[in-house]
Each structure stands twice: as C-alpha cells, then as structure tokens.
Amino acid sequence: MKKQNKRLPVCFAALLTLLLGQMSCSNYLDVDQYFDDQLTLDSAFTKRAYAEGFLSNAFEVMYEEVSDIATGGKGGYALFASDELLRMDDSDYTKKYQNGEYSATSTLTEDKWKRVYEPVRKASTFINRIDDCREMTYSERADAKAQARFLRGYAYWVLLRQYGPLPLIPDEGFEISMTYDELSVQRNTLDECVEYIANDFLVAAQNLPLTRTANNIGRPTRGAALAARARLLLYAASPLYNGNTDLFDLRNFDDEQLIPQSYDESKWARAAAAALEVIRLNQYELYTAAPTENTVIPPYHPLHSEAGYPDGWANIDPFESYRQIFNGSIAPSRFSEIIFTRPNDGANGYADMNNLQIPFSLSGRNALAVTQKQVNAYSMRDGKTVYEAETAGEYRQDGFTTTAGEYDFLPSNVSLQYANREPRFYASIAYSGSIWECESANETQFRNKQVFYYKDLTDGKLYNNASNFPVTGIGMKKYYHPEDAKTSGGYLVTKFEPAIRYADVLLWYAEALNELTSGQSYTFTTHTGAELTVKRDIAEMRYAMKRVRVRAGLPDLEDAVYNDASAFRRALKRERQVEFFAESKRYYDLRRWKDAMVEENIPLTGCNVEMTNSDSQRQLFYRETVISSYPKIFLEKMYLWPIPQYELTRNKRLTQNPGW
C-alpha cells in the first residue's frame, strides 16, 4: 500500500489487537480505517472547531473513567475497597474488593488499562498535530498543547498508581509496517516512568494559565500541573517505590528490575520542593466560611481562640468551612482551595453518590456504611484522640443525649460516644439519630427527619431490605447538602469532584519535609528556572499542618510531635485519614506507605445492627461488632493491581506484577 510508511499515533494495545485480529469490534479489524483516520486528522487539525472537539473528546475519558468518586459502574471502587467505607447495594463487588477476590482474568470494575491508554494516544496525537491549526493563535495552540500534556501525564499517573511501572508509548506513535515482534512493548522502570510523566506536567505548567474562567471548569491550570507533579513525586518517594526490596522480583521482559532497590532520601526532598512550588504560586488557600450566629465555637485555646485564620478560628466557622467544600454550596470557580476538578457527570457522579447516602425512608438507597475504625479516627473537639480522651475519663460510650442542644451538633436520643467530636466528624458522618434536613422536599414529614439505624426500623436491618441499610449502623453525610432531597419535589444540589485540593498539597509538603534528615538541605530548579532549597524545617511543617488543623477547629500539634519524625508521621497519617475521608485517598495512601498489610488485615467493625430500639437492646446497638459479612483480607501481591490477562496475551514483552 502506498501509505505504508505513515506513522500512526495509536495505543500499542489497539495496534497489536489489530494485527492479531482479537478485538470483538469489527471496525478494529480494518487496517484501512487507520489510514482513513490519518487522512481525517490531516484535515481536522486545520479547523479550530475540530481541533477543540478532538481535545474535548480526549478529556472525556478522564471525566468518565478516572474519577475517584464515580459510583456508576465505571470504576471508583477504591472508595469502597479500603477500611473506611462500604457500599451495600453493590455488595458483591464491595465484598470482592475487600476480600481480594480479583485477578488478571477478573478485574471487576477497575480495569483502567482497557481505556486509560486511550487519552494517552489521543493526547500524543493532539500534541503532534495542533500546530497545523492556523485558525488558532500561537498562544492558543500553546495552551491547548499544554492541556494535552497534562492529560497524558494524568492518564499515565492513574495507571502508574494502580499497576506500577508501565510501558511508555513513543510520542510519535508506531509504524504500520512494524512486525508483531517490534510492536511488543515492555515495561519501563519506575524512575523512567516518573521522569517522563513529571516532564509532561512540568512542560504543561510552563504554558498553562494561572486561572480558568468558570465555563472552563475541568481544564487544567498551571497550579494543577504542578500539583499533579508534586503528587507523582511524593508517590515515587514513598516506601512502596523507594527502596522496596519486597518488589525485588518485579522485572520487565529484559529482566531489568523495575523498582529501585536502594532508598533515596532526595526523592522526598524533590517531592517537598514540588509541593512548595504550588504553595509559592500564591494562588491557593484553604476555604473558610465566615461565622454566623449558629457557628459552634471550638473550646477555648490560648493560641487559637482570639486569632484569625490561619493562626486561629476567631473569624471562621470550622464546621461550614469543611462541609461546604463538598456539598455544592460554593462553585468551584470561587474556591481558592480547589486546584483541579472534574465536572459532575450526572448518573455516574455525585447524583449517584447522593442517592447512595440518603436514607431509605427519604427515598435514597441508604447504601453507604462508615466503619467504626473511621469513626474512631476523628479527634475530640479539644484535639485529643478518642483513646486519649477515654484514658482521661472524658469519652463516654454509654448513655444518650436527653435534649437537643445538650451537646453541640447533637439532637436528642443520640449515643454519647458521638458527643464532643471535632467539626469534620459532624460534616461527614451520619451517626444513628442524625438529622437529614432535605429542605427541598415538598412534604413536611420528609424535612428535618431524625434517622435511626436500629433493627426493624425503616432505615435499619429489615428482613425484606437486606442491602439498603448501613451494615455498620453508621451512614455517611459527606457530599450531602441540606437542600438535597429525593422525595417528591426535591432536588440535588450540583457538586464537583475535589480531585486535587490545596489541603492535599499542604500535607504532601509536611510529609515530605518530615522524611528529611535534620541538617540536610537540597536545592532544585523550579519550572521558572529559579532555585529552591528545602530541608526538614519545623516552621515550614507547622505552616502546612496548622492550616489544615485550625481550619477544622483543632489546635496545632505540640512541639514534641514536630520534633519527633515518627510521632509526626503518625499524626500526619491520622490527619490524612480524617481530612480526606471518602475521597479515595485512603486506599492509595495505605499502599504507598506499605501500611496496608497491617491496616487492611484488621477486621472491619461497626455497631451491632441486630439490636433494636427497645430499652433492653438500644445500648447494645453501639457495642463495637465485627462485620463478618464483609471479611477483610490483604495479601502482599495486592499492593499492585494485576495487569489484565488479555493484555499479557497480546503483548509478549509485557510482564505481570508479582503474585498474580
């Protein structure tokens, strides 16, 4: 054929499939389709509308397949696969994730390999072709190309996070005349993958704008690219990938070790410097809501009660400052905290999430269950842990509130174990007896309803309602807006995913600094060419950590914690568990820290949902009980996801992750 020397920027998997004839879709079996596509591309990139449409189409996969909080069957099950949250109405999937019942031939809903290479291919095509579009100005083309680089880096990052080291596809694509042997691509090393992806983010940052207009929500900014790079570098510095000898056997086709076997502290320094670049953009700050007459004021503290944020909470409402980030009260374009977001995608996004968490008696699916472990992670209102408060005699498991207002946030007849907790608890957890406002509901009986999860009540365990109740006796309220209602006349407030927010950047920075040897400093070059030096600096660690805690109405950590790297590491892990509850961060944090073997082999517990609201059983409902119907198992091989068998069959140079 005359066109045989054309380079085709296609995913290697699709091209191998084409040659082997293994795709079920017939259009993939027609070689001429690729030539026709190439000719179409020749003309498409001469028109602005077509070029912009091509890029929008490339972003669609990230919106649909990559969302960490999607619940419509297209992934996002990491949210229900860790030790913080369970999903009842799709319990077979949830049980399989919790029990490790997946494999290379049964990848459940998390087969990102199948489609996330697609935006890689499309982004590369766009980068190589957009300069042909003379209907766009030079600056417009530079911005569009930078967006494509961000997209390619983000897609690769998603795959790396799940599968480990990846095959990197040549930017220019493949020759159609290549043999099957030439088209087989092996995995690159972890360091090669990180450098490639980090460079995409870095080059993107140099050409992306600092801000986007409200109608461009979902498109990256300079801060988004730099933050994505910082996150990537933090993962590369973490124990899973930094000198992990347990992955000694992870090798590519040429028997090259893919994971560095020697620990390198400078990787933590590089991650810290990358996070500091985001901070020094001076574009972001944690969101805070102004106090009102209804604000619950934290206990008096000599450092924080009289000072304004970020030194204190005198001028903020900690509860609303946290709650409004997630419930749709504020548009993303008005958030100084949201660095990158993906738009609400209807049934596959927050509408479904709201469906899952709203109680059954309010026409919701009542299908999310928070674990007791997550509940216990929340501090008391004075900053003590539950265990510290219990030792001091300040935490009660027995007894109930007698009137509304007896304790802040709590109505009557609520277990006292939920009293005196930090504001993030009340913004996130639907404990038994919590109030669901449902203000948009037409009927008054569906507004300001107190919901209990005792057995034989509508929202508890019923013989004919086995999947629509929280099996732990604890529901979830994060992402719920007081106006949200599923009953007649009701509506759901639109939400947006907090894919990357500034709280994350601050805690990345503090975590990375903590891992540096005292007295050792490191200097790096920023995206602007300037020099930036980092070291284990307690003042800098405090700058980052204090902002997160004070916004939540909690006191800063003690000096002794900052001075002790192990103590600070424990405090930071706890802070991340609470701050990022139900954002799919916990699942990957436990893996990158190599904590999952311990944390995810602890049995899941909750309330005893077999107990009723009778006088003899009501207190027994709150006794911590193992959730035997959701066995929790973690094996060493589960630190990395299995590469799908179909891909191993197509690509003979692709090697499987250890244990699979």
Side-chain angles (χ1 to χ4, degrees), residues 113-124:
W113 200 285
K114 181 181 293 183
R115 282 206 66 193
V116 180
Y117 265 109
E118 181 182 328
V120 171
R121 171 178 64 84
K122 289 182 176 179
S124 293

Side-chain angles (χ1 to χ4, degrees), residues 150-163:
F150 174 89
L151 172 61
R152 184 169 66 185
Y154 206 104
Y156 268 137
W157 142 254
V158 167
L159 293 166
L160 182 76
R161 179 180 66 172
Q162 184 167 335
Y163 299 102

Side-chain angles (χ1 to χ4, degrees), residues 80-320:
F80 313 115
S82 190
D83 58 0
E84 57 182 353
L85 187 67
L86 300 171
R87 178 175 174 177
M88 306 299 98
D89 68 334
D90 219 348
S91 61
D92 284 346
Y93 269 131
T94 302
K95 287 177 182 177
K96 287 178 180 179
Y97 281 99
Q98 294 287 350
N99 204 29
E101 296 179 40
Y102 51 87
S103 67
T105 56
S106 178
T107 56
L108 306 180
T109 67
E110 289 300 310
D111 183 6
K112 290 188 172 64
W113 200 285
K114 181 181 293 183
R115 282 206 66 193
V116 180
Y117 265 109
E118 181 182 328
V120 171
R121 171 178 64 84
K122 289 182 176 179
S124 293
T125 299
F126 190 89
I127 292 166
N128 290 329
R129 289 306 196 102
I130 189 56
D131 285 330
D132 294 341
C133 186
R134 297 301 171 176
E135 288 188 358
M136 299 174 71
T137 66
Y138 175 82
S139 61
E140 288 173 334
R141 295 197 304 272
D143 176 30
K145 188 183 294 187
Q147 291 184 53
R149 282 193 178 275
F150 174 89
L151 172 61
R152 184 169 66 185
Y154 206 104
Y156 268 137
W157 142 254
V158 167
L159 293 166
L160 182 76
R161 179 180 66 172
Q162 184 167 335
Y163 299 102
L166 306 162
L168 296 173
I169 310 308
D171 291 355
E172 69 276 11
F174 294 96
E175 295 277 5
I176 194 63
S177 59
M178 284 181 175
T179 65
Y180 168 68
D181 186 68
E182 291 171 327
L183 287 166
S184 294
V185 183
Q186 68 176 349
R187 298 170 77 168
N188 289 79
T189 67
L190 186 280
D191 285 344
E192 288 170 344
C193 291
V194 169
E195 288 306 312
Y196 183 92
I197 300 168
N199 184 67
D200 257 355
F201 288 138
L202 190 64
V203 174
Q206 292 166 346
N207 293 281
L208 288 170
L210 278 172
T211 60
R212 294 277 181 197
T213 58
N215 60 350
N216 277 299
I217 290 299
R219 294 302 178 92
T221 60
R222 188 180 310 166
L226 291 176
R229 176 173 172 265
R231 179 174 57 182
L232 166 73
L233 296 177
L234 186 86
Y235 270 70
S238 297
L240 181 63
Y241 290 141
N242 192 358
N244 184 6
T245 56
D246 290 338
L247 288 177
F248 176 86
D249 291 331
L250 180 53
R251 298 167 182 263
N252 64 15
F253 184 78
D254 289 340
D255 202 36
E256 183 180 16
Q257 279 186 327
L258 299 183
I259 302 298
Q261 296 296 286
S262 299
Y263 175 74
D264 183 355
E265 180 180 287
S266 69
K267 291 184 176 181
W268 285 110
R270 190 182 179 198
L276 184 56
E277 280 197 68
V278 182
I279 294 169
R280 289 192 175 176
L281 288 176
N282 295 318
Q283 288 290 309
Y284 306 106
E285 185 50 275
L286 299 189
Y287 172 75
T288 57
T292 68
E293 60 182 11
N294 297 319
T295 294
V296 174
I297 301 172
Y300 177 79
H301 191 282
L303 295 179
H304 306 307
S305 291
E306 304 299 328
Y309 182 82
D311 295 315
W313 46 68
N315 62 342
I316 68 171
D317 182 326
F319 171 74
E320 290 295 348

Side-chain angles (χ1 to χ4, degrees), residues 493-509:
V493 174
T494 300
K495 285 90 176 177
F496 290 79
E497 181 188 12
I500 306 177
R501 56 190 181 95
Y502 191 54
D504 227 340
V505 174
L506 291 172
L507 294 187
W508 296 336
Y509 183 48

